[in-house]
């Protein structure tokens, strides 16, 4: 069980803790709001993206996120999995984001930072290149208005796409298999080897990571405690639209998400589901601003004990999902009997299966995209290495 608190889009200065000295001084002397800029494709948004934005927000007070258009992404990287409208909404749903800029330029410039009154931009410790292999952050780096955060190990779009294309279950437990490793090697390998930014690595959950994503707020008097349950695999825009619709059911919603264990998800969905294991799914759900608390390993059947324990006022279920279990039992029988079951139509029927089908349909395009990206990164690494060697030679000659 992970508490996550209420998360609304904040205004500048809201949600930031005042320093002790700031309370005693006049408003004019209080420190000004630090505005931070991030940008990216944010395609197949996962907890790695969310963690980047969490770290960026911690560096300032107000976080603005620029999201690139489909046209720009296709030009520099290859076809995105999600449309720009879907990606805009996914980024808006991340609880650390205060504002988004639609159609942000692919190359980050000082003009962009100045236009949105941002002090600096933040990016992970990988590298983003244009179609001709240039660093998209070169200008802001040179000007000293660039900050770096740590890339989240164990997750990448390359890895997630690889899990979908190869029908393996090894990723459920992070136990590598030779078939899966061979596939990810082929999928993400450039002509000169693996890039440290694109390669696949193992995700290891820690209590500290969960604490960083959760805010630990308890339900308050007057809150409507709402329970929803499911796999929430490859957390996507369909999930966001559902949770947003649930959130709108009350003036003071406190939404608890029950996440089923991997074995349970595989039992009722089959194939190689879930694509993300329960630890990864936990962080993805915790990053959503509509979620207040997460129950890790929630039972498939919504029981009386669960409803009483959390003092649940309302249980919600998606309109497109199947109610009956394989044995014919109704996992929502108890809340149905109590009259607290609500079927919510989010008007978005997108499922995890649909996402997988998008990938499979365009498999060759996505493989080519990742190999192209890897090749550009390896070329950049070689160029950086050569520059360092040249500088070392110059210093050695200067000493002589």
């Amino acid at each position: 069980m992970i508490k996550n608190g209420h998360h609304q889009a904040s205004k500048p200065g809201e949600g930031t803790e005042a320093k002790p000295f700031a309370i005693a001084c006049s408003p004019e002397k209080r420190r000004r709001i630090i505005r931070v800029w991030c940008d990216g494709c944010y395609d197949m948004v996962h907890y790695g993206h969310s963690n980047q934005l969490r770290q960026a927000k911690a560096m300032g007070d107000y976080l603005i996120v620029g999201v690139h258009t489909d046209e720009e992404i296709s030009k520099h990287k290859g076809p995105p999995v999600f449309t720009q409208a879907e990606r805009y909404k996914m980024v808006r749903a991340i609880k650390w984001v205060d504002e988004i800029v639609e159609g942000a330029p692919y190359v980050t410039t000082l003009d962009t930072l100045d236009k949105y009154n941002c002090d600096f931009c933040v990016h992970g410790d990988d590298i983003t290149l244009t179609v001709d292999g240039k660093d998209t952050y070169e200008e802001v780096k040179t000007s000293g208005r660039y900050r770096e955060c740590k890339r989240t190990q164990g997750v990448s779009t390359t890895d997630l796409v690889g899990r979908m294309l190869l029908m393996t279950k090894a990723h459920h437990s992070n136990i590598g298999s030779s078939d899966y490793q061979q596939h990810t090697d082929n999928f993400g390998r450039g002509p000169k080897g693996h890039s440290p930014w694109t390669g696949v690595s193992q995700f290891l959950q820690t209590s500290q990571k969960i604490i960083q994503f959760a805010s630990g707020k308890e339900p308050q008097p007057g809150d409507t405690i709402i329970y929803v349950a499911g796999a929430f695999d490859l957390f996507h825009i369909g999930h966001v639209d559902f949770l947003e619709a649930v959130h709108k059911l009350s003036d003071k919603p406190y939404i608890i998400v029950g996440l089923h264990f991997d074995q349970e998800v595989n039992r009722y969905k089959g194939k190689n589901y879930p694509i993300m294991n329960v630890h990864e799914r936990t962080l993805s759900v915790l990053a959503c601003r509509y979620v207040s608390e997460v129950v890790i390993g929630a039972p498939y059947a919504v029981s009386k004990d669960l409803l009483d324990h959390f003092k649940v006022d309302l249980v919600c279920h998606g309109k497109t999902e199947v109610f009956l279990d394989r044995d014919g039992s109704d996992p929502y029988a108890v809340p149905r009997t109590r009259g607290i079951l609500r079927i919510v139509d989010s008007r978005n029927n997108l499922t995890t299966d649909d996402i997988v089908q998008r990938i499979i349909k365009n498999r060759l395009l996505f493989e080519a995209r990742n190999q192209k990206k890897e090749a550009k990164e390896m070329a950049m690494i070689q160029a950086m290495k050569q520059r360092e060697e040249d500088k070392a030679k110059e210093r050695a000659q200067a000493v002589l």
Side-chain angles (χ1 to χ4, degrees):
M1 182 178 69
I2 304 297
K3 296 178 176 59
N4 203 35
H6 297 294
H7 304 288
Q8 301 290 344
S10 58
K11 296 178 181 178
E14 290 183 353
T16 56
E17 297 182 4
K19 303 295 183 182
F21 69 84
I23 298 175
C25 67
S26 65
E28 293 77 17
K29 292 183 179 180
R30 292 177 185 173
R31 68 176 179 87
R32 65 181 183 82
I33 301 301
I34 303 298
R35 293 167 64 89
V36 181
W37 173 271
C38 282
D39 56 30
C41 303
Y42 299 102
D43 194 22
M44 289 186 63
V45 173
H46 49 66
Y47 60 91
H49 296 123
S50 299
N51 194 39
Q52 178 221 5
L53 299 177
R54 179 193 67 80
Q55 294 179 79
K57 180 63 178 284
M59 297 182 189
D61 304 299
Y62 191 80
L63 177 61
I64 302 175
V65 181
V67 184
H68 310 317
T69 63
D70 296 341
E71 182 181 2
E72 281 286 271
I73 296 172
S74 296
K75 174 184 175 182
H76 294 281
K77 293 181 65 175
V81 178
F82 288 89
T83 67
Q84 60 196 44
E86 292 172 326
R87 292 183 290 106
Y88 295 155
K89 194 161 190 178
M90 282 296 295
V91 175
R92 280 195 182 96
I94 297 174
K95 65 185 182 182
W96 295 287
V97 176
D98 295 297
E99 179 184 337
I100 83 157
V101 173
E102 299 180 0
Y106 199 81
V107 175
T108 309
T109 64
L110 294 176
D111 286 342
T112 297
L113 297 188
D114 292 340
K115 179 178 179 180
Y116 296 100
N117 298 315
C118 291
D119 296 84
F120 52 84
C121 75
V122 176
H123 188 66
D125 54 2
D126 54 348
I127 195 166
T128 302
L129 305 173
T130 62
V131 66
D132 53 1
K134 295 182 179 179
D135 184 353
T136 61
Y137 294 96
E138 183 176 356
E139 181 176 320
V140 291
K141 285 179 178 179
T142 303
S143 68
R145 292 173 68 180
Y146 175 85
R147 304 288 185 274
E148 202 164 83
C149 63
K150 292 184 178 180
R151 180 178 182 271
T152 305
Q153 294 298 313
V155 64
S156 68
T157 301
T158 301
D159 185 20
L160 294 178
V161 172
R163 296 182 198 181
M164 286 181 254
L165 293 177
L166 186 71
M167 300 299 281
T168 177
K169 296 181 183 178
H171 56 272
H172 293 173
S173 56
N174 275 331
I175 298 174
S177 69
S178 58
D179 290 340
Y180 178 60
Q181 188 59 51
Q182 180 180 359
H183 177 76
T184 54
D185 283 350
N186 292 337
F187 188 74
R189 182 183 292 277
K192 297 182 180 179
H194 271 313
S195 159
W197 304 309
T198 302
V200 176
S201 59
Q202 188 180 40
F203 171 71
L204 299 174
Q205 182 69 284
T206 65
S207 58
Q208 181 61 31
K209 184 62 65 183
I210 293 177
I211 290 170
Q212 289 173 342
F213 271 60
S215 56
K217 293 184 180 179
E218 301 282 351
Q220 301 301 309
D223 285 356
T224 300
I225 300 177
I226 305 174
Y227 181 77
V228 302
F232 290 91
D233 193 17
L234 286 178
F235 194 73
H236 54 72
I237 190 63
H239 297 131
V240 167
D241 282 341
F242 169 69
L243 291 170
E244 183 181 22
V246 171
H247 194 271
K248 290 178 179 178
L249 294 177
S250 170
D251 292 333
K252 294 184 64 180
Y254 187 91
I255 299 176
I256 301 173
V257 175
L259 288 180
H260 301 145
F261 277 135
D262 300 333
Q263 297 88 339
E264 189 68 36
V265 176
N266 188 249
R267 181 185 69 81
Y268 64 77
K269 291 205 67 174
K271 299 181 181 178
N272 62 332
Y273 294 115
I275 303 299
M276 282 183 157
N277 64 48
V278 69
H279 303 301
E280 298 172 309
R281 291 184 283 123
T282 296
L283 294 186
S284 295
V285 173
L286 281 173
C288 180
R289 67 173 67 251
Y290 305 119
V291 176
S292 304
E293 185 172 339
V294 170
V295 179
I296 303 173
Y300 186 70
V302 183
S303 65
K304 175 182 180 298
D305 288 342
L306 184 147
L307 297 178
D308 292 343
H309 179 80
F310 293 110
K311 298 180 175 58
V312 175
D313 298 304
L314 198 63
V315 175
C316 292
H317 196 281
K319 184 178 180 181
T320 61
E321 297 177 24
V322 178
F323 271 99
L324 297 181
D325 198 357
R326 288 183 176 180
D327 61 4
S329 62
D330 181 3
Y332 290 87
V334 175
R336 188 192 303 279
T337 301
R338 290 191 179 187
I340 61 172
L341 180 64
R342 179 78 64 85
I343 307 304
V344 177
D345 183 5
S346 66
R347 302 185 184 279
N348 186 337
N349 297 327
L350 189 71
T351 66
T352 302
D353 286 317
D354 296 329
I355 304 303
V356 174
Q357 289 305 313
R358 288 188 189 185
I359 297 295
I360 292 175
K361 182 180 178 181
N362 296 289
R363 171 175 180 162
L364 295 178
L365 289 174
F366 291 126
E367 287 183 344
R369 181 185 76 171
N370 281 277
Q371 289 174 358
K372 181 180 178 181
K373 179 175 182 288
E374 180 100 10
K376 287 197 299 182
E377 290 173 352
M378 291 304 299
M380 174 62 75
I381 290 172
Q382 291 298 322
M384 293 167 62
K385 182 178 179 181
Q386 186 61 52
R387 283 198 295 268
E388 289 301 317
E389 291 177 353
D390 291 343
K391 288 181 181 179
K393 290 179 180 179
E394 291 176 0
R395 287 194 294 269
Q397 291 176 353
V399 171
L400 296 177

